[in-house]
């Protein structure tokens, strides 16, 4: 059974110990990544976004092809109010998983939240091309488009 660290100090100790082992072993890299993710999550639970972001940035270097790491960086940038960098990280994530309608929809939500309705609509259109029945995307689109004139 794998033991999950209960504190930041325990997790950091496990990480440092793992670093002393062979660093190019894919199994160990996976272990490093899990440990960094645990450390980041512990920081998030403590509302320490700065430290969480530092750990996730390390994770992005260790697993650069993991879309979820880039998405998490984007979310943290968003929480910090750095929408420009958030957009960059979200797009890297989407580049790694380009045909995922749900991820594309989440990018549309980001644009909607920051008031960029034109870009939100473009991304919703892309989402609906991937999944014409994506209910959340259809709902968001209805919030962006002006209501149709019902008077004749």
């Amino acid at each position: 059974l794998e033991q999950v660290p209960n504190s930041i100090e325990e997790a950091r100790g496990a990480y440092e110990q793992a670093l002393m082992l062979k660093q190019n072993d894919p199994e160990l890299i996976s272990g490093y990544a899990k440990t960094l993710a645990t450390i980041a999550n512990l920081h998030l639970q403590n509302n320490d976004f700065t430290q969480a972001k530092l750990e996730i940035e390390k994770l992005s270097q260790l697993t650069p092809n993991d879309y979820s790491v880039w998405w998490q960086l984007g979310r943290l940038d968003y929480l910090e109010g750095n929408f420009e960098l958030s957009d960059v990280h979200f797009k890297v994530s989407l580049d790694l998983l380009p045909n995922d309608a749900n991820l594309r929809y989440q990018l549309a939500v980001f644009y909607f939240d920051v008031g960029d309705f034109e870009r939100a609509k473009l991304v919703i259109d892309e989402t609906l091309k991937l999944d014409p029945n994506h209910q959340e995307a259809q709902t968001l689109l209805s919030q962006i488009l002006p209501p149709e004139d019902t008077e004749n």
Side-chain angles (χ1 to χ4, degrees):
L1 247 192
E2 189 175 315
Q3 184 178 354
V4 177
N6 293 317
S7 70
I8 292 170
E9 292 78 23
E10 253 183 63
R12 189 165 306 287
Y15 176 73
E16 296 300 330
Q17 185 178 24
L19 278 179
M20 294 168 59
L21 301 172
K22 190 175 175 186
Q23 292 188 9
N24 291 324
D25 184 329
E27 194 172 313
L28 290 176
I29 289 173
S30 174
Y32 299 156
K34 286 179 187 177
T35 304
L36 283 172
T38 299
I39 293 170
N41 284 329
L42 289 167
H43 283 301
L44 287 173
Q45 289 172 12
N46 292 327
N47 292 320
D48 187 349
F49 299 119
T50 302
Q51 278 304 120
K53 187 173 178 184
L54 289 173
E55 301 303 336
I56 294 170
E57 285 171 345
K58 289 180 197 174
L59 187 56
S60 72
Q61 293 172 8
L62 192 60
T63 58
N65 295 322
D66 183 344
Y67 81 94
S68 66
V69 171
W70 295 101
W71 195 264
Q72 183 76 336
L73 275 173
R75 286 183 54 227
L76 287 170
D77 293 327
Y78 177 82
L79 291 172
E80 292 176 335
N82 190 343
F83 303 138
E84 209 171 290
L85 191 55
S86 187
D87 186 33
V88 169
H89 287 137
F90 286 153
K91 285 180 179 174
V92 169
S93 182
L94 199 56
D95 285 346
L96 292 168
L97 205 62
N99 295 319
D100 187 293
N102 290 323
L103 194 60
R104 200 165 287 277
Y105 163 73
Q106 290 300 321
L107 181 61
V109 170
F110 163 72
Y111 289 137
F112 182 84
D113 287 347
V114 299
D116 191 341
F117 303 118
E118 186 176 321
R119 285 169 80 183
K121 184 188 177 311
L122 289 172
V123 176
I124 291 170
D125 290 344
E126 293 169 1
T127 302
L128 292 172
K129 282 180 187 171
L130 292 170
D131 180 0
N133 298 316
H134 198 287
Q135 191 62 46
E136 294 91 349
Q138 292 172 353
T139 300
L140 187 60
L141 184 61
S142 72
Q143 294 176 21
I144 293 172
L145 294 178
E148 292 185 350
D149 191 344
T150 55
E151 297 177 18
N152 291 329

